[in-house]
Amino acid sequence: MAAISAPRGTRDILPEESWKWSYIVQTAGETMKNFGFSEIHLPIFEHTELFSRGVGETTDIVEKEMYTFEDRGGRSITLRPEATAGVMRAAIENNLCVQGASAKLWNWGPMFRHERPQKGRYRQFYQIDAECLGISNAMADVEIISLSIEIFRRLGLKNLEVVINSVGCEKCRPVYRQKLIEYFETRKQDLCETCLARLDRNPLRILDCKKEVCGQIADGAPDIFDSLCDECREHFAEVRAGLERLGFAYTLNKRLVRGLDYYTKTAYEILSGDLGAQNAVAGGGRYDNLSSAVGGNKIPGVGFACGLDRIMLVMEEQGCSFGKMPETEVYVAALDDSARGAAQILTHELRKNKISATSDTSGKSFKAQMKNAGSCKFACIIGADELANDTVAVKNLRDSSQVSVPMNDAVSYIQKNLN
Ligand code: ATP
Ligand code: MG
């Protein structure tokens, strides 16, 4: 029988990589905590409606990228393609934002999109996500943007660019949308097929088409800034002032619209100069209409998601530090079979004292055991002499020095000498 492989677009994160992932998530988690965000855990699948209504029927995600299936009860279920809609659902369902309360929440985990797999693009990928719910003030936008920048600063990422835009609100976007349709109608013959299909359904998406011709046409499109209502214009000015107050450099890009319909006012991305085509390490913005789209009371929100897989790629590329790779500190070796029981007990005692320790469980020879001890700091060796004297030979594997220690003192001796 042929061996079964992992589905296309998925991959296994093996031990040599997984500790680096933990480092990234831990660094992000500490930063979130410093900014007053609490971690939440949400379901990986939700009712399909949450995304079709929340993310938007005319988006690429809902139109072509979702993993949707009917469960055994006949309900339409979707593996989450993004986190924000689920966070909003949870906030509404659990009354996290009633009577003017706000909630700062973060989470991380796998997302699923049926896209063409390539470097930095997978079908199961991982996001670190932060959402600030219940605050409509531009200061919250600035806090979210600065939080994402601070995570990347702590991770040591270089060569990043923060790009921001305003996509307007339900008052001014329809006006802009109409202006765009009128403009693109005049250039209809040159647009790519996808953009042609977007013309009536979601003309804003034409603005971020990656094809060169469409890009050139989009460059000449009416400027969103000319269409913003007073409220959106003022909000955007406050976001910019806030970023400048904190000393963050950013670029304005009026063609940045993002792929999800729920964005209002602020939209932003953080781009890496070291990723090639899939260059966005984070994306986010404000979504004041999401709560009503998914059937709740009005809860304004602003947040971001960063792509863990892409952060990993950039960090490797730039030679960033992942801290220290966790290694087993002590190897307990039995010189002969009579000492295996004592080795097992000492290993367990070390572990109970939070010292990482290992010993052979497969009946290997002493020589083979010592070979496995290679990367440890200490080897504790027990043979007939040690059993008779109730001692253990502790060998420092860095400098090969060796001392005999009473068995009862072994744990404290290792503890003292580990660092
Ligand atoms: P892109 O333009 O690259 O498709 P996006 O706008 O679809 O990105 P978002 O929905 O904003 O992405 O998700 C936020 C972040 O999640 C992205 O900036 C990226 O780092 C990461 N991401 C999105 N899709 C994928 C994927 N298929 N594989 C790996 N990472 C992804
Ligand atoms: Mg995408």
Side-chain angles (χ1 to χ4, degrees), residues 65 113 115 121:
E65 295 173 0
R113 295 184 194 174
E115 302 192 77
R121 194 177 291 293

Side-chain angles (χ1 to χ4, degrees), residues 60-61 65 113 115 121 125 205 258-260 310:
D60 282 355
I61 291 180
E65 295 173 0
R113 295 184 194 174
E115 302 192 77
R121 194 177 291 293
F125 61 101
R205 288 305 313 276
R258 317 263 310 111
L260 304 90
R310 292 189 196 171

Side-chain angles (χ1 to χ4, degrees), residues 252-267:
L252 291 180
N253 182 352
K254 59 175 186 170
R255 282 180 47 197
L256 175 74
V257 291
R258 317 263 310 111
L260 304 90
D261 277 359
Y262 52 58
Y263 285 110
T264 51
K265 297 180 176 166
T266 316

Side-chain angles (χ1 to χ4, degrees), residues 144-325:
I144 277 292
I145 298 172
S146 60
L147 168 56
S148 52
I149 295 173
E150 176 61 13
I151 291 173
F152 293 140
R153 189 191 68 82
R154 290 191 192 185
L155 290 172
L157 265 69
K158 294 169 287 284
N159 200 9
L160 295 180
E161 184 186 14
V162 180
V163 184
I164 66 170
N165 190 22
S166 174
V167 295
C169 65
E170 73 272 19
K171 277 180 277 171
C172 54
R173 192 152 57 199
V175 182
Y176 181 58
R177 190 174 181 277
Q178 198 48 44
K179 279 195 202 168
L180 273 185
I181 293 179
E182 279 161 26
Y183 168 77
F184 285 126
E185 281 287 348
T186 67
R187 305 296 306 272
K188 219 169 156 175
Q189 64 284 2
D190 302 321
L191 289 175
C192 76
E193 219 166 286
T194 322
C195 285
L196 213 51
R198 284 169 174 158
L199 189 50
D200 298 316
R201 292 165 61 76
N202 196 346
L204 265 80
R205 288 305 313 276
I206 301 178
L207 293 175
D208 75 356
C209 181
K210 304 283 183 287
K211 301 217 174 60
E212 209 185 319
V213 214
C214 300
Q216 277 165 5
I217 300 174
D219 277 334
D223 200 323
I224 178 105
F225 299 121
D226 297 333
S227 298
L228 293 181
C229 63
D230 288 347
E231 189 187 318
C232 287
R233 192 184 304 275
E234 204 170 297
H235 187 94
F236 197 52
E238 284 170 24
V239 172
R240 294 183 58 178
L243 292 176
E244 282 155 28
R245 209 175 289 126
L246 295 176
F248 294 128
Y250 61 84
T251 317
L252 291 180
N253 182 352
K254 59 175 186 170
R255 282 180 47 197
L256 175 74
V257 291
R258 317 263 310 111
L260 304 90
D261 277 359
Y262 52 58
Y263 285 110
T264 51
K265 297 180 176 166
T266 316
Y268 83 102
E269 270 179 3
I270 300 185
L271 309 179
S272 165
D274 294 299
L275 265 180
Q278 276 61 248
N279 64 345
V281 282
R286 175 164 285 284
Y287 44 86
D288 291 346
N289 297 330
L290 174 60
S291 62
S292 34
V294 300
N297 290 331
K298 192 147 177 94
I299 302 174
V302 58
F304 71 82
C306 47
L308 192 42
D309 314 74
R310 292 189 196 171
I311 294 174
M312 222 8 246
L313 284 170
V314 179
M315 287 181 71
E316 292 281 18
E317 182 85 25
Q318 298 183 346
C320 297
S321 161
F322 293 94
K324 231 172 64 213
M325 186 173 139

Side-chain angles (χ1 to χ4, degrees), residues 5 31 78 114 117 122 133 140 180 218 222 229 244 259 337 363:
S5 60
T31 317
T78 293
H114 194 273
Y122 312 96
L133 305 181
L180 273 185
C229 63
E244 282 155 28
D337 283 349

